Amino acid sequence: MGIEERIDQLLARMTPAEKVGQMRQIAGSGDDDTEALIRQGGAGSFLNVLGEQAAAYQRLAVEESRLGIPLLFGRDVIHGFRTIFPIPLGQAASFDPGLVREAARIAAREAAAAGVHWTFAPMVDIARDPRWGRIAEGCGEDPYLAACLGAAMVQGFQGSDLRDPERIAACAKHYVGYGAAEGGRDYNTTYIPEGLLRDVYLPPFEACVRAGAATLMSAFNNLNGVPATGNAFTLRKVLKGEWAFDGLVVSDWNSVIEMIAHGCAADEREAALCAVAAGVDMEMTSAAFAGHLESLLAEGRLPLELIDEAVRRILRIKLRLGLFDDPYRRNTAVPLAPEHLEAARQAARESCVLLKNDGLLPLASTVGRVAVVGPLANDGGEQLGCWAFDGRAEDSVTPLAALSAALGEERVRYAPGLDDCRSCGERLIPAAVAAAREADVVLAFLGEDAGLSGEAHSRAFLDLPGTQQQLLDALAATGRPVAVVVMAGRPLTLEPVAEKANAVLLAWHPGTMGGPAIADLLLGVASPSGRLPATMPRTVGQVPLYYNRMNTGRPPRGDAPCVTTGTPLDPVRHYATYLDVDHRPLFPFGYGLTYSTFTYSDLELSTRELKLGEALTVAATVTNTGRARATEVAQLYVRDLVASLARPVRELKGFQRVELAPGEAARVRFALHTDDLSFHNAEMRRVTEPGRFQLWVGPDARGGLQGQFEVVE
Ligand code: NOJ
């Protein structure tokens, strides 16, 4: 019997109470009544219940409830389970869909072994504001990159068959617009015009749906006045209508009843009605559905078809996971298996972005004594980053441990310099300076602890917290060469760091194997290959700052001077810029150095006249002109030069990692279809308008070889 028939049969047998029960997700192991509730069919899903407890609850549901419908166990498996991979923003810096797919596969494998069926990932919220702490959990600022990587994560978690006990259901979140929180304050209001929503914020979700994402999560934010959890436009019209999504929509934690605080529902009853009518199928944590849907049905305020539709979607996922046939599904994967750790090491290596290097890195094998300094040099917990529930500090290999192993303990001097990242004291700085003086080179591990990013962890300042800059200044004053490794959950304002350091490597929060991966890069075992998935501002005052902006009528000149406030306005000439800081980012989107150099040449377009509905091929030669084997991430950008609505100055349309030996060259090729050039016009129709387009193939959002072509009817 097919899945839909099985659902029909079940729905025909279910009471309204049992139907509403399926729509309830309980957080944690609940209270004393939980077991009775499960026996009555009053719960469809749990989050954060694992192992034996999950198995015991499943037994009650399957063996002691009237219809024996299995429970669905969800958990935040965001960037690994026991083996923690780099935070998603770090993984995004790899520009490597294969790598993020593999990280998700391993996370699914370990989580499924512990009884997890469903993860609340990937987060594909576009984030243009690094103050927002949850930028750490997503793929950055670009819709194309987030779409490619989000889809890869979905494939990694789910594989091709959800019944595979090594796979789990994915959940694309937070639908939608959550990352556009005003001022970067988490949960804050968002205003996103429909065209921008459709061109920038929705595409990563659509890509996840196309990749087969089993579920989506509705967001906390109020979007254009309507809370995302009660938003019929985004949920019913776009997701379930236009995209024909047939999976389930779960609310975020209490986001149904938070519609009361939003001022969009009078009480829990109205909130429940609003959420179900809008298209939410399951309520996470709060119990407004459980408390009110049955009576709303009885009163005729809620049509039975809506409840049946929600329950159908929930049962569909349970059937797709094979839970009716194998409710206790597990696998025997060993957490922290050597191949998992090796994949995590590779992921961390590929995530690191080399921002500056005056030649200090890689350290020569003949390097003498090394001072390893900083609050993040030896903290196995903080290097895991936010949302690492099942990761354990003691499983981590820290940079200090990895460097000591690689160089020999006798060559390493360790001094933390500060008690922790946020410490404002200077007590430990002298010992760090003394260690630096005794060393030939200083490696300083600075940045943010894990608790400075993630949910509800927004920052108004993006510089190094505590007295870390003082520590760095003191280290630099010794005259010893200093390489700074920054661990962080977001782009920071690193100008003062780059000024003082000879080299800066951005490692994000690199996960369990962060230490060995960083050591590999510092010692030249591998060359850095990460690229920025989000623009790095010079100062928080520039935020929001993103590469795919509009041009304005008075675009800043590339060389527009930065004038000190108080000088005559004249030199600024009324451009869209600042008086007191360079308008340009410190490092652009897509940027990253390596231990070699690359040139681009021989740009070739297969045609200069592209017919609507057809594709052209863009090719260029990338040559490794340096002395190290290294990977370049070639990027394709386009600009629609004249359109019925203003279009961004650049949009990423392709990227390709190419690993080349010194002197080696390769041809990179990108296919560009006219559909890839489309946008939503004033009537909200997705169109590609004929006319001239500019394109670039190059190393980041700033430079590149340039070409032009025309789209013709
Ligand atoms: C709230 C967060 O916003 C969401 O991302 C997460 O999945 C749920 N809590 C469950 O922990």
Side-chain angles (χ1 to χ4, degrees):
M1 197 185 341
I3 282 183
E4 299 306 312
E5 267 179 281
R6 282 179 84 170
I7 297 173
D8 289 339
Q9 290 193 355
L10 273 167
L11 279 174
R13 293 174 63 203
M14 290 171 84
T15 63
E18 285 165 336
K19 290 178 181 174
V20 171
Q22 286 301 307
M23 298 170 71
R24 175 169 192 184
Q25 184 182 60
I26 297 173
S29 43
D31 52 27
D32 294 347
D33 298 333
T34 305
E35 296 192 358
L37 194 76
I38 298 171
R39 284 195 189 91
Q40 289 156 18
S45 173
F46 282 79
L47 78 150
N48 299 340
V49 176
L50 288 179
E52 289 320 305
Q53 176 81 77
Y57 281 179
Q58 192 67 303
R59 205 162 294 120
L60 289 178
V62 172
E63 293 174 17
E64 298 187 30
S65 75
R66 191 175 74 90
L67 295 172
I69 300 175
L71 295 164
L72 185 58
F73 292 98
R75 187 162 182 82
D76 289 286
V77 182
I78 305 300
H79 52 114
F81 187 71
R82 273 293 292 282
T83 305
I84 299 297
F85 287 78
I87 54 167
L89 188 63
Q91 291 185 42
S94 74
F95 279 63
D96 187 344
L99 179 128
V100 305
R101 190 179 299 117
E102 180 64 0
R105 183 187 72 79
I106 289 169
R109 197 161 184 253
E110 290 190 353
V116 176
H117 305 144
W118 179 20
T119 176
F120 305 119
M123 184 189 106
V124 287
D125 293 308
I126 295 303
R128 293 172 158 184
D129 188 336
R131 291 174 296 181
W132 189 51
R134 304 199 77 170
I135 192 172
E137 298 172 51
C139 295
E141 74 186 35
D142 183 67
Y144 179 81
L145 182 65
C148 293
L149 299 182
M153 288 179 195
V154 168
Q155 291 156 358
F157 286 126
Q158 297 193 166
S160 54
D161 184 352
L162 279 177
R163 282 173 308 178
D164 181 345
E166 304 242 326
R167 305 291 183 156
I168 57 180
C171 180
K173 70 186 188 186
H174 306 83
Y175 191 75
V176 55
Y178 184 43
E182 281 186 347
R185 290 191 295 284
D186 203 7
Y187 314 121
N188 209 4
T189 304
T190 62
Y191 285 104
I192 309 175
E194 187 178 336
L196 188 65
L197 190 69
R198 288 186 180 275
D199 288 339
V200 171
Y201 291 88
L202 286 170
F205 286 95
E206 187 175 7
C208 289
V209 169
R210 301 273 166 257
T215 76
L216 258 81
M217 185 186 293
S218 68
F220 286 126
N221 55 297
N222 158 343
L223 172 64
N224 302 330
V226 183
T229 292
N231 200 309
F233 170 71
T234 54
L235 290 168
R236 235 175 241 297
K237 180 166 188 293
V238 176
L239 174 66
K240 294 184 171 181
E242 295 173 19
W243 300 348
F245 173 68
D246 71 357
L248 88 87
V249 175
V250 65
S251 77
D252 202 343
W253 184 288
N254 283 357
S255 68
V256 172
I257 61 168
E258 286 174 14
M259 288 198 281
I260 302 168
H262 276 293
C264 293
D267 51 26
E268 294 198 3
R269 185 179 183 74
E270 297 306 314
L273 179 61
C274 172
V276 174
V280 173
D281 304 308
M282 182 183 277
E283 181 181 10
M284 181 188 283
T285 312
S286 52
F289 287 9
H292 301 284
L293 293 186
E294 261 187 274
S295 61
L296 285 164
L297 264 178
E299 285 169 18
R301 290 189 66 202
L302 181 64
L304 182 62
E305 298 78 69
L306 286 189
I307 297 289
D308 282 353
E309 185 219 302
V311 177
R312 176 176 292 280
R313 289 168 180 273
I314 294 162
L315 295 175
R316 198 178 271 147
I317 300 308
K318 293 185 176 185
L319 282 156
R320 284 184 182 161
L321 280 161
L323 289 176
F324 283 82
D325 305 319
D326 184 8
Y328 308 102
R329 42 169 270 159
R330 295 275 178 99
N331 65 58
T332 53
V334 182
L336 305 167
E339 64 270 26
H340 298 182
L341 294 176
E342 187 46 43
R345 181 177 187 157
Q346 175 67 13
R349 270 198 299 245
E350 286 194 28
S351 297
C352 290
V353 185
L354 183 63
L355 298 173
K356 175 182 176 183
N357 188 17
D358 69 0
L360 175 63
L361 297 179
L363 298 181
S365 54
T366 51
V367 65
R369 276 167 305 184
V370 175
V372 174
V373 175
L376 291 165
N378 194 33
D379 196 323
E382 303 305 342
Q383 76 185 48
L384 298 180
C386 60
W387 292 104
F389 283 154
D390 299 285
R392 298 186 192 163
E394 63 269 25
D395 296 335
S396 290
V397 186
T398 66
L400 176 65
L403 287 162
S404 301
L407 295 169
E409 278 181 16
E410 62 292 349
R411 283 159 77 187
V412 175
R413 301 273 179 286
Y414 169 58
L418 291 176
D419 289 314
D420 57 57
C421 291
R422 299 184 219 182
S423 162
C424 291
E426 294 179 12
R427 187 175 47 88
L428 300 178
I429 294 182
V433 168
R437 286 220 175 88
E438 282 177 29
D440 300 295
V441 57
V442 181
L443 302 176
F445 293 83
L446 308 175
E448 296 183 319
D449 57 79
L452 280 172
S453 56
E455 186 180 349
H457 289 72
S458 297
R459 294 184 64 197
F461 296 97
L462 297 176
D463 44 4
L464 291 176
T467 36
Q468 293 187 68
Q469 187 69 42
Q470 282 94 311
L471 170 63
L472 175 59
D473 294 349
L475 295 170
T478 64
R480 299 290 184 277
V482 181
V484 174
V485 177
V486 177
M487 291 189 194
R490 52 162 67 79
L492 296 176
T493 48
L494 293 179
E495 199 160 25
V497 174
E499 273 166 14
K500 290 288 160 87
N502 301 80
V504 182
L505 183 72
L506 176 58
W508 314 100
H509 286 126
T512 308
M513 294 298 281
I518 291 167
D520 289 344
L521 297 175
L522 295 178
L523 302 175
V525 175
S527 298
S529 61
R531 298 290 186 269
L532 290 177
T535 302
M536 292 200 78
R538 289 169 197 275
T539 166
V540 76
Q542 292 177 308
V543 167
L545 191 68
Y546 48 93
Y547 84 93
N548 48 358
R549 61 182 169 81
M550 301 297 172
N551 202 32
T552 81
R554 295 185 177 189
R557 290 194 324 240
D559 60 349
C562 148
V563 295
T564 316
T565 311
T567 59
L569 281 178
D570 219 24
V572 185
R573 292 187 206 285
H574 301 96
Y575 295 122
T577 182
Y578 294 102
L579 295 176
D580 48 3
V581 70
D582 191 326
H583 63 274
R584 292 167 298 186
L586 184 59
F587 301 110
F589 176 87
Y591 172 87
L593 304 171
T594 185
Y595 296 150
S596 200
T597 48
F598 293 93
T599 57
Y600 286 76
S601 60
D602 305 314
L603 180 71
E604 196 183 13
L605 280 64
S606 59
T607 176
R608 300 268 160 188
E609 280 207 347
L610 179 60
K611 281 216 183 70
L612 270 178
E614 293 186 357
L616 70 79
T617 307
V618 185
T621 300
V622 181
T623 308
N624 182 339
T625 50
R627 283 197 296 251
R629 183 172 194 88
T631 298
E632 173 68 344
V633 181
Q635 298 156 42
L636 169 71
Y637 295 90
V638 301
R639 177 172 178 190
D640 187 343
L641 290 171
V642 183
S644 60
L645 296 176
R647 303 296 307 134
V649 291
R650 279 188 186 223
E651 292 178 282
L652 184 70
K653 295 294 173 187
F655 55 86
Q656 211 172 303
R657 289 174 60 91
V658 254
E659 189 182 337
L660 296 171
E664 197 184 349
R667 201 87 180 125
V668 290
R669 282 195 177 74
F670 302 96
L672 193 58
H673 191 275
T674 55
D675 287 350
D676 302 328
L677 306 170
S678 64
F679 66 97
H680 289 85
N681 68 9
E683 286 77 47
M684 289 307 122
R685 274 194 309 115
R686 196 176 151 185
V687 292
T688 301
E689 295 182 350
R692 279 187 306 127
F693 287 78
Q694 172 105 8
L695 64 76
W696 297 260
V697 176
D700 55 42
R702 199 172 44 184
L705 301 173
Q706 298 187 32
Q708 281 206 3
F709 64 96
E710 189 162 349
V711 170
V712 295
E713 304 224 39

